[in-house]
Amino acid sequence: MTGRAMDPLSPAAAAAAAEAEAGEEADPAAAASLRTRVTELRDADPRRMQVPPGNPLLLSYTLQELLARDTVQVELIPEKKGLFLKHVEYEVSSQRFKSSVYRRYNDFVVFHGLLLQKFPYRMVPALPPKRVLGANREFIEARRRALRRFINLVARHPPLSEDGLLGLFLSFGGSDVQNKLKESAHGVGDEFVNYKLATRAKDFLPADIQAQFAASRELIRNIYNSFYKLRDRAERVASRAIDNAADLLIFGKELSALGSDTTPLPSWATLNSSTWGSLKQALKGLSVEFALLADKAARQGKQEEDDVVEKLNLFLDLLQSYKDLCERHEKGVLHKHQRALHKYGLMKGQMMSAVQSREPEAVEQLESRILEQETAIQTMELRNYFSLYCLHQETQLVHVYLPLTSHILGAFVNSQIQGHKEMSQVWNDLKPKLNCLFAGPPNALTPPRSPQEDSAFPH
């Protein structure tokens, strides 16, 4: 969504809203009048988010524009603090805000909760789970990566990236960021309350929005399933490269150990030949090349983890947040709307009974309650359309991220090309050093030829 960052209500509008909320039970009619006043004050507030030009339903962002909004790094602080319960701390650095702050996992939790509170109809990525006891190095590293993906998705998401909460989280250097975040969000209301276009969302929606929503949800579910499988295979490819590095390193160490063996051999076994001694000397030197091969393989695996697996995980996090949003839409605003309609029907039935029994006081009370319920139903209908409006935009946002696929494939192909090229060079450098292993009398074994050599010199 384009437009300025959302600001809280003006003091007059905020005061009127609080007054209306406090007086709703005591005097419904007065509360309704105050709600009208809140609307007028809110619309007159110059700080209120304005309607963007053109069709506000359509997004005009490219992937490069989203990625350029910010890049946030989340690094682990090795030192744990606390007298009794130790905790992990992270250094969070933002290019956009030119800031570097320290955050704990619980700070992320509070920030995440406030985002959901302010933007219930947007894709707010999930946080990684909290593990109370026994958090090993692998778990902490996986959580650090997940937190980095979370904050980058938020920092690049319109309108989440335009909200003041993000700036506070990424730049506030005080000792109690959680209270600061809560204070900034207190009494502000959610996006439906603050966005000037919210009550007109239905006017911009296509007539077949429900059918479009169902189709896009099914498509994104299929995309998620495919990318989930791709991520798993990419993880296995990277893991194999790292395992290959460990095997090559051990292989070289075993060759070195064999070459360093000092066990004396009897002369009757060697027939006074120095072949074994020469072989041992050559084997001892090969560990350097195998260590280099191991380093190349490990770097390739690490690069595939960072450039391929992490990008796949980032896209999966985005797709999961879309699935979560769809569930919130169905279980939240739609469910509340249905409950309001059900309650309205019960009241109408009670009204008919009261009229038939000629109970004026009961009729008057029910009329007031029915009026309130009609207002609640109207509000829920408006929220439902605004939720669909946001879903329409979030679907577009997912498709803006789809070209990330080409980035992922490019990184995977480049990693394979570079990795195989570097390792091939080391293997080629290693081959001439094998000649000394076959030194000996003329009838001794000779180094095996490559397939190209075999074709050049037929038997």
Side-chain angles (χ1 to χ4, degrees):
M1 182 181 299
T2 55
R4 297 187 301 117
M6 284 180 289
D7 295 313
L9 299 178
S10 66
E19 186 180 349
E21 185 177 355
E24 189 166 1
E25 294 294 330
D27 190 345
S33 174
L34 280 171
R35 280 195 294 270
T36 302
R37 182 176 153 215
V38 169
T39 302
E40 294 172 350
L41 287 168
R42 183 183 61 185
D43 292 343
D45 187 356
R47 299 177 304 162
R48 185 169 160 74
M49 178 178 276
Q50 300 301 310
V51 179
N55 186 349
L57 186 64
L58 302 179
L59 297 181
S60 59
Y61 300 107
T62 66
L63 177 61
Q64 293 303 324
E65 288 172 341
L66 291 181
L67 297 179
R69 281 175 172 250
D70 200 359
T71 297
V72 186
Q73 298 296 335
V74 178
E75 300 298 338
L76 186 67
I77 303 298
E79 180 182 353
K80 294 183 178 181
K81 299 181 180 180
L83 294 176
F84 302 104
L85 294 176
K86 304 296 183 182
H87 63 262
V88 177
E89 200 169 30
Y90 304 93
E91 182 178 8
V92 182
S93 305
S94 164
Q95 286 186 1
R96 173 187 172 189
F97 292 96
K98 297 179 175 57
S99 59
S100 181
V101 293
Y102 297 107
R103 296 288 180 258
R104 295 176 56 183
Y105 176 80
N106 286 339
D107 298 332
F108 280 90
V109 171
V110 171
F111 176 58
H112 177 263
L114 292 173
L115 283 177
L116 278 174
Q117 177 182 312
K118 293 188 74 173
F119 299 96
Y121 312 124
R122 299 291 180 180
M123 292 188 298
V124 179
L127 285 177
K130 181 174 184 178
R131 188 172 176 179
V132 180
L133 298 175
N136 55 28
R137 181 182 301 175
E138 289 76 16
F139 171 82
I140 292 174
E141 171 60 15
R143 190 169 71 176
R144 182 195 68 81
R145 288 173 176 263
L147 291 174
R148 182 178 63 184
R149 296 194 302 270
F150 161 79
I151 194 63
N152 275 285
L153 284 173
V154 172
R156 295 163 180 170
H157 182 293
L160 271 59
S161 63
E162 300 165 1
D163 191 78
L165 276 176
L166 177 68
L168 269 177
F169 185 80
L170 291 178
S171 60
F172 179 70
S175 59
D176 196 353
V177 66
Q178 295 183 24
N179 281 336
K180 190 71 174 178
L181 289 168
K182 292 174 183 176
E183 288 173 4
S184 72
H186 180 69
V188 173
D190 65 5
E191 186 181 10
F192 175 78
V193 174
N194 288 284
Y195 186 58
K196 191 171 185 178
L197 193 63
T199 56
R200 293 177 50 208
K202 182 181 179 181
D203 300 337
F204 298 94
L205 291 173
D208 60 343
I209 181 61
Q210 295 291 355
Q212 287 191 22
F213 169 53
S216 66
R217 187 176 185 181
E218 180 65 22
L219 172 63
I220 290 175
R221 183 186 294 115
N222 294 337
I223 293 174
Y224 177 88
N225 292 336
S226 294
F227 270 83
Y228 188 88
K229 294 174 183 176
L230 287 171
R231 192 277 314 275
D232 283 354
R233 294 298 162 177
E235 279 185 336
R236 293 181 64 178
V237 170
S239 179
R240 279 199 298 270
I242 294 172
D243 290 343
N244 185 36
D247 290 338
L248 287 168
L249 187 62
I250 293 174
F251 194 94
K253 287 182 177 179
E254 289 302 323
L255 288 177
S256 179
L258 186 61
S260 301
D261 186 82
T262 56
T263 305
L265 291 177
S267 58
W268 57 265
T270 61
L271 299 178
N272 295 318
S273 171
S274 61
T275 301
W276 178 237
S278 300
L279 283 173
K280 288 202 301 179
Q281 189 64 31
L283 292 173
K284 187 188 302 183
L286 294 180
S287 63
V288 175
E289 280 72 19
F290 278 92
L292 186 57
L293 286 167
D295 179 67
K296 300 290 186 186
R299 281 198 292 173
Q300 180 180 346
K302 182 66 167 58
Q303 183 177 355
E304 286 167 358
E305 281 185 341
D306 293 340
D307 295 344
V308 180
V309 176
E310 269 302 287
K311 284 188 174 71
L312 285 167
N313 277 326
L314 179 80
F315 193 48
L316 281 172
D317 288 351
L318 179 76
L319 295 175
Q320 183 61 54
S321 67
Y322 182 85
K323 293 169 65 177
D324 294 342
L325 175 60
C326 292
E327 290 187 10
R328 287 203 303 275
H329 171 75
E330 292 185 338
K331 296 180 180 179
V333 65
L334 282 182
H335 181 64
K336 290 178 181 178
H337 188 207
Q338 291 166 358
R339 280 195 308 172
L341 288 172
H342 177 69
K343 185 177 179 181
Y344 180 72
L346 292 177
M347 287 182 181
K348 295 290 278 187
Q350 294 173 4
M351 181 71 170
M352 294 300 296
S353 299
V355 169
Q356 290 173 1
S357 61
R358 298 181 179 180
E359 300 176 2
E361 292 184 2
V363 171
E364 185 178 347
Q365 290 178 357
L366 281 169
E367 283 179 344
S368 176
R369 289 175 58 195
I370 286 174
L371 181 62
E372 288 181 29
Q373 193 62 17
E374 287 175 346
T375 303
I377 290 171
Q378 184 182 20
T379 301
M380 290 311 303
E381 286 178 345
L382 292 174
R383 279 188 173 271
N384 178 42
Y385 284 118
F386 183 64
S387 179
L388 288 169
Y389 175 96
C390 294
L391 261 173
H392 198 285
Q393 290 193 327
E394 299 303 277
T395 304
Q396 295 175 64
L397 195 59
V398 170
H399 285 271
V400 172
Y401 266 95
L402 274 175
L404 192 64
T405 307
S406 60
H407 293 233
I408 296 169
L409 288 175
F412 182 64
V413 170
N414 289 335
S415 172
Q416 292 292 318
I417 292 174
Q418 186 65 24
H420 284 86
K421 180 180 178 181
E422 291 181 359
M423 292 190 70
S424 176
Q425 183 62 48
V426 178
W427 285 116
N428 286 326
D429 292 343
L430 175 61
K431 186 178 178 181
K433 298 182 180 181
L434 300 181
N435 290 330
C436 60
L437 296 177
F438 300 94
N443 60 347
L445 293 175
T446 57
R449 292 199 296 261
S450 67
Q452 291 81 3
E453 291 171 329
D454 282 337
S455 61
F457 302 100
H459 298 292

